[in-house]
Amino acid sequence: ELRDVSRRDSTAVPHALDLTVRPRRNRKAEWARRMVRENVLTTDDLIWPLFLIDGTNKREQVASMPGVDRLSVDQAVREAERAMKLTIPCIALFPYTDPSLRDEEGSEATNPNNLVCQAVRAIKKQFPEIGILCDVALDPFTSHGHDGLIADGKILNDETVAVLVRQALVQAEAGCDIIAPSDMMDGRVAAIREGLDRAGLLDVQIMAYAAKYASAFYGPFRDAIGSAKTLTGDKRTYQMDSANSDEALREVELDIAEGADMVMVKPGLPYLDVVRRVKDTFAMPTFAYQVSGEYAMIAAAANNGWLDGDRAMMESLLAFKRAGADGVLSYFAPKAAEKLRSQA
Ligand code: PBG
């Protein structure tokens, strides 16, 4: 039986439409909008990626990411303190490796005293209560800019996985809390989990970059870690084709079976549909990475006065919550946290 929505005569208000349902009533005032709001962003939802560079008391602007600097370890410690004060639960560390330390095999990745490990130790010594996530992939360390080892122009899967396990182990031994493999090699989560278990590092979490796409939006990141100029070819034989989403579910399923504690979709906004499917299908802690190119687009438009940067930032971050994400890796993290705390 259909309800007749035009049954009433609203004679009290001249020219009123005969509407029983008026969705705008719930939006009539700020208090009403707050009352029916479905999703909220809090500082607990944020993971802040930081770029590291060798030296002391050094900050170097990343040209393609206005407002983002490469930091020497002492400066990274200061930013970790800032994160803690802003109640951001976790930071993520990415190194700009000096070109003299890059080689075909990415050997520096497994150096227990590399920049990432130095930063982990320094931060954990002063602020043991902040979470630290470390990326696992060889691209900051290889002369060719790829995430894995290469032979005859091909990225070698199993040989790469063996190196990634050693990279994960030096980072975990330095005190990192979350290992985040971003390389997209097959079988790496299982191998890393086994390596951690054998080393007795049972509490180290794995956040798998489970559905990571071959994306144009990583451009500014490659600038930040210094692999943009050296990268030969593309990463399409290991990162996912942007046309696919069933495949993302298969990738996520594998990483969960292999021992991932949390999963991630990357990039962020262009792949919100994938975030939603992953969350609905697996009900796992699910994260999204608002990547460098997404940051750069908003920052550049804001700097040109083409949009309200703060509002675009908050709207984009909230979109991840709406899509079902439990948290977001974002270069906006400190700015967004400051805004959230000033509103609280
Ligand atoms: C390394 C890695 C990349 C990003 C995170 N880890 C770049 C890539 O895969 O080429 C991108 C992050 C960003 O763009 O903000 N494998």
Side-chain angles (χ1 to χ4, degrees):
E1 193 183 329
L2 285 172
R3 201 155 106 256
D4 178 7
V5 295
S6 59
R7 90 198 99 86
R8 291 181 312 141
D9 281 326
S10 7
T11 45
V13 183
H15 314 300
L17 294 175
D18 252 0
L19 297 181
T20 304
V21 181
R22 288 180 182 268
R24 287 186 54 193
R25 281 187 199 111
N26 285 345
R27 304 175 200 140
K28 68 183 175 187
E30 175 59 19
W31 67 262
R33 292 191 291 271
R34 261 170 41 219
M35 200 172 76
V36 299
R37 190 158 290 151
E38 298 171 42
N39 295 287
V40 266
L41 179 75
T42 77
T43 56
D44 295 336
D45 300 317
L46 301 170
I47 298 175
W48 180 13
L50 299 173
F51 295 111
L52 304 167
I53 192 157
D54 201 25
T56 40
N57 199 19
K58 193 159 143 194
R59 280 179 173 262
E60 221 178 64
Q61 241 212 283
V62 179
S64 53
M65 300 179 74
V68 173
D69 294 338
R70 299 184 193 93
L71 311 164
S72 55
V73 169
D74 56 298
Q75 296 299 306
V77 172
R78 284 182 48 187
E79 295 297 57
E81 181 175 21
R82 183 167 163 225
M84 231 181 48
K85 288 188 173 147
L86 288 167
T87 66
I88 293 171
C90 186
I91 56 174
L93 302 177
F94 297 92
Y96 173 94
T97 307
D98 192 89
S100 68
L101 297 172
R102 297 183 199 217
D103 60 24
E104 284 274 311
E105 292 80 37
S107 328
E108 182 65 6
T110 57
N111 172 3
N113 202 32
N114 68 21
L115 199 49
V116 171
C117 293
Q118 285 177 37
V120 171
R121 278 192 290 268
I123 293 166
K124 277 289 168 185
K125 190 172 167 198
Q126 287 214 43
F127 306 111
E129 56 276 44
I130 190 149
I132 303 183
L133 177 153
C134 290
D135 205 77
V136 170
L138 299 184
D139 56 324
F141 311 98
T142 50
S143 44
H144 45 71
H146 277 286
D147 295 24
L149 306 174
I150 306 183
D152 301 326
K154 284 195 174 151
I155 308 294
L156 305 172
N157 193 86
D158 302 13
E159 293 82 348
T160 298
V161 168
V163 182
L164 297 174
V165 172
R166 288 166 50 215
Q167 181 186 15
L169 283 174
V170 297
Q171 294 178 155
E173 266 151 15
C176 145
D177 300 285
I178 305 175
I179 291 292
S182 73
D183 54 284
M184 291 299 277
M185 296 301 124
D186 296 334
R188 88 276 208 218
V189 172
I192 291 170
R193 175 56 75 206
E194 191 192 331
L196 291 170
D197 284 352
R198 282 201 182 157
L201 297 159
L202 304 182
D203 289 338
V204 175
Q205 291 153 283
I206 296 179
M207 181 189 289
Y209 286 72
K212 175 169 176 179
Y213 289 85
S215 172
F217 291 99
Y218 306 150
F221 173 96
R222 292 177 190 168
D223 176 18
I225 66 159
S227 70
K229 288 199 188 80
T230 53
L231 181 64
T232 46
D234 57 49
K235 302 192 177 183
R236 288 170 205 269
T237 69
Y238 45 109
Q239 299 179 349
M240 284 178 52
D241 187 316
S242 59
N244 300 346
S245 91
D246 287 344
E247 186 187 3
L249 299 186
R250 298 196 298 273
E251 281 281 6
V252 170
E253 185 171 26
L254 273 173
D255 286 358
I256 295 169
E258 290 180 25
D261 304 284
M262 300 171 272
V263 294
M264 192 208 296
V265 173
K266 177 185 175 194
L269 285 194
Y271 297 85
L272 285 186
D273 58 318
V274 179
V275 174
R276 171 50 71 192
R277 285 191 80 187
V278 167
K279 185 63 184 179
D280 286 352
T281 307
F282 300 103
M284 283 287 284
T286 303
F287 292 80
Y289 199 142
Q290 181 175 46
V291 299
S292 56
E294 300 176 68
Y295 172 89
M297 286 193 298
I298 295 177
N303 286 350
N304 276 298
W306 294 338
L307 49 70
D308 180 332
D310 277 14
R311 285 187 55 200
M313 165 181 81
M314 297 312 275
E315 187 177 332
S316 65
L317 290 170
L318 185 59
F320 293 104
K321 297 292 291 182
R322 199 186 59 244
D326 295 287
V328 191
L329 290 91
S330 173
Y331 304 97
F332 285 123
K335 215 174 165 210
E338 270 157 18
K339 199 159 178 72
L340 288 167
R341 288 172 71 81
S342 73
Q343 287 162 354

